[in-house]
Amino acid sequence: MGFFKKKNKAFYAMANGKSVAIEDVPDEVFATKMMGDGIAIQPIEGKIYAPCNGKVTMVMDNTKHAVGIENEDGMEILIHVGLDTVNLGGVGFEVFVQVGDQVKSGDLLIQYDKAKFEADGINDMTMLVVVDAKGHHLTKYHINEDVQIINSPIIEYK
């Protein structure tokens, strides 16, 4: 039985690295889910990718550290690069999308200078926050796993 169950949908890794529970992010706003539920990745390189197909709804133009996407199911997510990176004022960041762009899972969204971040003691842990689930239920979190863009689901939902 259950061979024909409807497969859950998923958000895929937005970076290559190690997945981290949102509750373990060393920032109260994310860890207490003030902005929404989600997951984080500790990236191994300074590139952040689309975790799903969808439309770019927000880009922090001045600081370049965050992008909002509405996926094909209408769910709204926020991808936030690093902790306290808003204070950098965009220095070290490059954004490859703008509001209204259609993206596919694996498209490059943001690139940043990981070596400079590390040298300056900046934590580049990157969060995926589900700001509005639009009635969907998050069912599984893939935590403490080595993840790769496109191939690794990090949050499943139905």
Side-chain angles (χ1 to χ4, degrees):
M1 306 291 206
F3 293 117
F4 301 105
K5 264 188 176 171
K6 188 175 172 215
K7 188 169 175 0
N8 281 354
K9 298 180 179 193
F11 291 106
Y12 289 83
M14 66 280 190
N16 295 314
K18 184 101 169 171
S19 59
V20 177
I22 196 85
E23 296 87 353
D24 294 335
V25 172
D27 181 294
E28 186 181 3
V29 170
F30 294 106
T32 60
K33 304 180 185 180
M34 280 185 215
M35 299 174 71
D37 201 355
I39 195 166
I41 293 178
Q42 188 63 65
I44 57 173
E45 60 187 353
K47 294 181 178 179
I48 306 301
Y49 302 87
C52 58
N53 297 341
K55 183 173 87 173
V56 176
T57 57
M58 186 273 299
V59 175
M60 296 299 285
D61 289 326
N62 51 344
T63 57
K64 303 177 183 168
H65 75 289
V67 171
I69 298 174
E70 181 178 316
N71 78 353
E72 294 172 320
D73 291 320
M75 295 173 73
E76 295 174 31
I77 62 165
L78 173 71
I79 298 168
H80 188 284
V81 181
L83 302 176
D84 298 323
T85 47
V86 67
N87 301 332
L88 298 174
V91 174
F93 285 99
E94 188 175 357
V95 178
F96 296 91
V97 293
Q98 56 190 15
V99 171
D101 285 357
Q102 292 291 325
V103 293
K104 287 190 172 16
S105 186
D107 286 354
L108 183 62
L109 301 174
I110 299 172
Q111 190 168 316
Y112 62 94
D113 188 342
K114 184 168 176 62
K116 179 165 177 29
F117 278 31
E118 287 174 356
D120 293 346
I122 296 167
N123 187 335
D124 66 342
M125 184 178 286
T126 298
M127 285 61 66
L128 182 158
V129 177
V130 179
V131 179
D132 188 343
K134 293 288 201 255
H136 294 276
H137 299 283
L138 307 182
T139 57
K140 184 172 183 184
Y141 303 83
H142 295 264
I143 295 168
N144 296 325
E145 295 179 10
D146 290 322
V147 294
Q148 295 180 327
I149 62 160
I150 302 171
N151 299 320
S152 303
I154 55 171
I155 295 179
E156 294 179 36
Y157 67 92
K158 60 182 178 182

